[in-house]
Amino acid sequence: MRTILAFILTILLLPTVSLAAEEAAYPIENPYKATVYGTPSGISYVFENPVRPEVRAIRIEDRQTPEVFSYTRDMFFTTALQDTPAPLIFVIAGTGAEHNSSKMAFLTQVFFEAGFHVVALSSPTHMNFVVSASEHGVPGYVPFDVADLNRVMRWVKEEVEKECTVTGYSLTGYSLGALHSAFLAQMDEEQKTFNFQKVLMINPPVSLYRSVTRLDSWLTSENLGQVTVHQQIEQFIDRFSEYYLKADVTDLDDEFLYEMITNMNLNERDLKTLIGAAFRVSSASMIFTSDVCLQAEYLVPPQDYPLKTSSPLMPYAQQAFNISFENYLDEYLVPFLQYMDPGMDHDTVVRQSSLEAIRPYLEQSDKIMVVGNRDDVILDQGDVRFLEEVFGDRAQLFPHGGHCGNLMFPAFVQAMVEKIGKVQP
Amino acid sequence: MTRRVLIPLLLLAAMLVGACGPKVVDVTDPTANLEPAKFKTSVHRWPQKNAPELRFLEVYDPWEPMNRNLYEVNATLDKYVMYPAANVYKAVIPAPIRTGVDNVINNINEVPVFFNCLLQFRMKKAAITFSRFLINTTFGLGGTMDLASDNKSYPRQHEDVGQTLGHWGVGNGPYFVMPVMGPSNLRDTAGFGGDILLLYIEMELIYQSAGMDDATLLDLSSLAIRGLNLRANTAFSYHSTGSPFEYEMVRFIYTKKRELDIKR
């Protein structure tokens, strides 16, 4: 009797099983691999009619820009506008990323295809934003960064509304940009400038501090053992070189790089080091940029000012690469915030840069959605639990994909569009 | 004759139309003028003499201040002239024609590559390049189609006079940012001159065999087309890395890549 029952059950269950199997899952199960490799071009989402986005700029009059950064004096952003009236969505980049980086260019297409006017903004941690638009020039403190974004978005709003009919506003961002989105949404509840209809967080960290200290930990002896990070990177370059010498290559394009990195048999330690180093490269840029703008004498001694277009910068790069986020926080960011407000301390800064600070708002605000991955390398188990508890069924977490690894995978794209709501023509 | 005049004129028009950067909106906000605060850090991380970190990124660059200025000049030229012109070229000329143009140029370039392979006694590479040239010139209709690349055993070779000099032991010399063309070094700049000369001789022979006496206009328009084609097919754009240390990165990658290309 039991066997018959089991047999019938199996038959009944079969269609669902095979259906699930048909809807192919993102193939890279190791989260570190997923984060480094991303979505292979063969299986990534394809746009039927890709739009040609326009790069634009905002220039703040009378803003003081150091000569060495004169090339990045204007704040650049991307627009992709519909011909017909439509809602507008702002897309905010992740740590150190620009408005038209590959992930941002992809997201611009996703939301344009879903029917939105799209405005893509660089992260406030990107050097162009720091130089051209930030009020204080000291990035990494979420309340300041969010205030900067909000101001820039108001300028953009005014400009875009002259050109097309905007029927409402929505907001999204990936990684750190996702965290910014949540804070922007909360800020707008009082200001009522945008009255965001939907806010979509893509692969958000829960606490900026916890996430970046995780990334930083992969460049310490805890992960690397006896080898220093510089030696490790030198070894990578030797391995890349070795591969390039033997490869049959005509162009050094993305496809080649992808093939190279997948053929190099990187182990988990290597992958962690690469992710950590990529983060360190962008934080080093951010810290140096801030120091030059403020003349805070952190990296550049007073006798070296002002830096010119012709000034060699390698000595500062060498120093900046050694600075962990923890160092930056203790030696630069917190002292700066204390200089502004003597009552400020380390713990407050950390707390105010975490979703935990606005938990009640996130719990009750139905318009805020999350799409992410359960194995995101910038989250720990507590963070995943936080997302599940706070957002409930407003969060869709895929089992695999690492940090933004499956961003371009069709199922992930579909989830993003479903959560934000396709615009009905 | 009309066509000879027309093409350079069209290209000039394309460049003029393209000669504008992104649209800029001016805003005023006195709180946003970024006046340096008086804030100074108490911890300093000032440069150390002979710091061991990232030393592998260092490149012999005694002309660095001049090079950095040239890098900026090139970036500005690219932003306002070359990049917009290449965009207009991509918008005006249909993709199949652009591919054809790219193929023809690459096919003409096989000849200097062939000579460089010979000069390095790399006979296999020379044979591949020669076969590619033959296949594409004949069956590929004068080089408009790159049929040779369909066969995996005939991949395009990259050899130039700079690599040939390197092959015979000539060192890099100082790093040098060439006006317009960008990253180079003393050896490769000399090599670039050699490649231009080889190409010039090749083109003159082609014109002569076609019975043309004065090919100045043709030379100019082919130069313009080569420029547009090169820019349209180059993914790199200045200041797109978002790093204040872009000059250092480009310098390292260029130098490393040339070192490897010479070994290959």
Side-chain angles (χ1 to χ4, degrees):
Chain A
M1 186 64 199
R2 268 213 174 150
T3 9
I4 295 171
L5 205 71
F7 183 68
I8 294 170
L9 263 176
T10 320
I11 301 245
L12 281 175
L13 284 172
L14 255 181
T16 45
V17 171
S18 59
L19 252 183
E22 260 171 42
E23 201 181 273
Y26 177 70
I28 304 174
E29 290 195 1
N30 178 310
Y32 302 100
K33 273 191 181 165
T35 305
V36 173
Y37 297 173
T39 311
S41 61
I43 57 164
S44 66
Y45 184 82
V46 180
F47 298 99
E48 276 176 30
N49 297 305
V51 63
R52 191 189 278 254
E54 194 185 343
V55 175
R56 303 186 188 208
I58 282 179
R59 177 178 297 172
I60 300 171
E61 276 174 37
D62 300 325
R63 189 172 169 93
Q64 303 191 7
T65 318
E67 189 206 290
V68 65
F69 295 147
S70 51
Y71 59 85
T72 193
R73 192 222 177 284
D74 299 335
M75 197 212 73
F76 299 107
F77 63 101
T78 298
T79 58
L81 307 178
Q82 306 280 348
D83 296 329
T84 50
L88 183 147
I89 189 165
F90 287 100
V91 189
I92 298 161
T95 312
E98 205 172 3
H99 61 99
N100 57 0
S101 67
S102 58
K103 285 193 186 75
M104 288 296 280
F106 183 85
L107 291 173
T108 301
Q109 297 290 349
V110 168
F111 296 110
F112 183 84
E113 192 176 81
F116 289 88
H117 299 301
V118 183
V119 170
L121 298 171
S122 300
S123 169
T125 57
H126 184 269
M127 77 171 292
N128 174 243
F129 197 103
V130 176
V131 171
S132 67
S134 151
E135 181 183 344
H136 301 286
V138 181
Y141 178 52
V142 168
F144 281 5
D145 290 347
V146 164
D148 285 339
L149 278 168
N150 180 275
R151 188 175 50 178
V152 165
M153 283 159 56
R154 289 204 310 260
W155 288 328
V156 172
K157 174 179 188 281
E158 203 176 302
E159 197 52 31
V160 170
E161 282 179 354
K162 289 180 198 161
E163 289 172 40
C164 58
T165 311
V166 178
T167 57
Y169 285 89
S170 283
L171 179 61
T172 186
Y174 73 87
S175 193
L176 179 58
L179 184 118
H180 288 149
S181 301
F183 279 87
L184 280 163
Q186 193 231 13
M187 184 184 231
D188 194 59
E189 296 296 336
E190 290 150 33
Q191 293 186 347
K192 307 258 178 240
T193 316
F194 299 101
N195 295 306
F196 294 114
Q197 296 165 332
K198 289 274 176 66
V199 178
L200 175 64
M201 302 165 77
I202 306 163
N203 285 103
V206 172
S207 153
L208 170 61
Y209 177 78
R210 270 204 303 278
S211 289
V212 297
T213 39
R214 246 173 111 83
L215 296 174
D216 265 331
S217 74
W218 299 337
L219 298 188
T220 60
S221 51
E222 174 203 316
N223 180 46
L224 291 170
Q226 295 302 307
V227 191
T228 72
V229 58
H230 304 99
Q231 288 165 337
Q232 181 70 37
I233 290 171
E234 242 180 298
Q235 281 176 21
F236 278 136
I237 291 177
D238 289 343
R239 282 167 74 182
F240 293 149
S241 303
E242 194 69 14
Y243 183 87
Y244 177 74
L245 279 177
K246 291 189 184 130
D248 234 351
V249 55
T250 355
D251 289 306
L252 274 190
D253 52 11
D254 287 352
E255 222 164 291
F256 169 75
L257 292 177
Y258 184 79
E259 229 169 72
M260 174 173 87
I261 207 136
T262 43
N263 284 331
M264 274 179 46
N265 297 322
L266 299 166
N267 61 31
E268 191 152 308
R269 197 189 77 175
D270 295 336
L271 292 161
K272 281 178 166 176
T273 313
L274 277 179
I275 300 168
F279 174 70
R280 185 61 69 80
V281 166
S282 65
S283 81
S285 297
M286 177 187 92
I287 295 167
F288 174 70
T289 305
S290 174
D291 185 43
V292 172
C293 288
L294 257 64
Q295 305 196 358
E297 299 174 11
Y298 185 44
L299 276 161
V300 187
Q303 67 269 19
D304 290 5
Y305 282 116
L307 293 180
K308 302 274 189 207
T309 302
S310 58
S311 309
L313 304 182
M314 191 67 195
Y316 312 115
Q318 287 172 322
Q319 286 300 95
F321 193 76
N322 284 335
I323 302 171
S324 68
F325 193 81
E326 184 95 61
N327 294 144
Y328 171 69
L329 196 70
D330 292 339
E331 298 166 5
Y332 191 109
L333 185 57
V334 172
F336 174 80
L337 294 168
Q338 277 168 344
Y339 169 83
M340 304 284 292
D341 167 12
M344 197 55 121
D345 60 50
H346 179 279
D347 290 350
T348 312
V349 176
V350 169
R351 198 171 52 248
Q352 289 186 340
S353 299
S354 160
L355 292 180
E356 285 142 1
I358 52 169
R359 180 173 181 143
Y361 170 69
L362 298 174
E363 276 172 335
Q364 54 82 26
S365 181
D366 287 341
K367 63 184 171 192
I368 304 188
M369 315 281 166
V370 178
V371 178
N373 300 314
R374 222 170 280 279
D375 66 352
D376 192 331
V377 301
I378 66 164
L379 302 177
D380 59 30
Q381 284 180 350
D383 294 332
V384 175
R385 214 176 313 121
F386 177 92
L387 292 177
E388 285 174 333
E389 279 173 17
V390 171
F391 296 97
D393 54 10
R394 287 181 284 133
Q396 181 169 353
L397 299 179
F398 288 86
H400 303 296
H403 188 58
C404 299
N406 55 346
L407 187 84
M408 301 185 184
F409 191 69
F412 199 89
V413 173
Q414 198 189 339
M416 291 193 288
V417 173
E418 254 166 38
K419 287 271 183 248
I420 202 79
K422 208 174 181 125
V423 178
Q424 298 306 324
Chain B
M1 185 63 211
T2 35
R3 191 166 280 178
R4 278 203 212 171
V5 184
L6 204 63
I7 293 171
L9 271 181
L10 266 177
L11 289 169
L12 189 70
M15 284 188 173
L16 287 177
V17 173
C20 48
K23 189 175 162 194
V24 180
V25 181
D26 278 296
V27 296
T28 14
D29 186 342
T31 64
N33 59 4
L34 197 64
E35 276 198 47
K38 298 270 182 296
F39 168 71
K40 307 285 172 203
T41 57
S42 52
V43 179
H44 303 302
R45 290 177 172 267
W46 296 344
Q48 313 275 309
K49 279 233 153 53
N50 304 317
E53 293 91 355
L54 306 179
R55 188 175 283 158
F56 60 94
L57 286 180
E58 282 170 8
V59 170
Y60 180 53
D61 187 2
W63 305 328
E64 184 166 358
M66 175 191 71
N67 280 336
R68 283 183 170 273
N69 282 322
L70 279 168
Y71 190 86
E72 255 349 277
V73 170
N74 288 348
T76 311
L77 262 176
D78 188 63
K79 183 175 167 189
Y80 290 104
V81 185
M82 271 100 77
Y83 182 74
N87 270 341
V88 173
Y89 173 70
K90 280 196 266 188
V92 172
I93 312 282
I97 300 184
R98 276 186 278 125
T99 310
V101 168
D102 189 44
N103 287 340
V104 169
I105 290 173
N106 285 329
N107 192 47
I108 292 172
N109 288 354
E110 303 274 14
V111 176
V113 173
F114 172 70
F115 276 107
N116 279 300
C117 293
L118 286 187
L119 289 169
Q120 295 175 35
F121 298 141
R122 297 189 174 211
M123 293 312 158
K124 191 180 165 207
K125 283 183 165 224
I128 291 174
T129 307
F130 187 68
S131 317
R132 285 182 55 87
F133 183 72
L134 272 189
I135 293 168
N136 284 342
T137 309
T138 53
F139 301 114
L141 307 176
T144 46
M145 288 188 289
D146 183 10
L147 297 179
S149 292
D150 294 346
N151 188 333
K152 285 268 180 256
S153 41
Y154 295 124
R156 178 175 297 129
Q157 306 298 310
H158 294 275
E159 295 294 338
D160 53 44
V161 179
Q163 278 169 261
T164 302
L165 291 172
H167 178 77
W168 294 111
V170 179
N172 294 347
Y175 183 71
F176 175 55
V177 176
M178 284 201 276
V180 185
M181 297 305 294
S184 187
N185 53 45
L186 197 58
R187 179 201 60 218
D188 290 342
T189 304
F192 181 69
D195 287 307
I196 295 282
L197 188 68
L198 281 174
L199 256 183
Y200 180 76
I201 295 170
E202 181 189 355
M203 292 313 289
E204 288 309 304
L205 287 174
I206 293 175
Y207 297 146
Q208 272 179 24
S209 60
M212 282 183 258
D213 301 327
D214 178 24
T216 320
L217 263 178
L218 216 58
D219 271 337
L220 284 177
S221 38
S222 96
L223 188 71
I225 294 170
R226 270 177 179 274
L228 286 172
N229 177 61
L230 186 65
R231 188 62 192 95
N233 291 308
T234 305
F236 178 80
S237 57
Y238 286 92
H239 301 309
S240 63
T241 56
S243 168
F245 310 118
E246 181 174 289
Y247 174 90
E248 284 77 5
M249 290 185 189
V250 169
R251 179 175 71 185
F252 169 73
I253 291 169
Y254 176 82
T255 308
K256 188 78 193 171
K257 182 169 183 305
R258 290 297 287 178
E259 178 196 315
L260 296 173
D261 282 339
I262 288 165
K263 275 195 210 158
R264 264 162 72 97

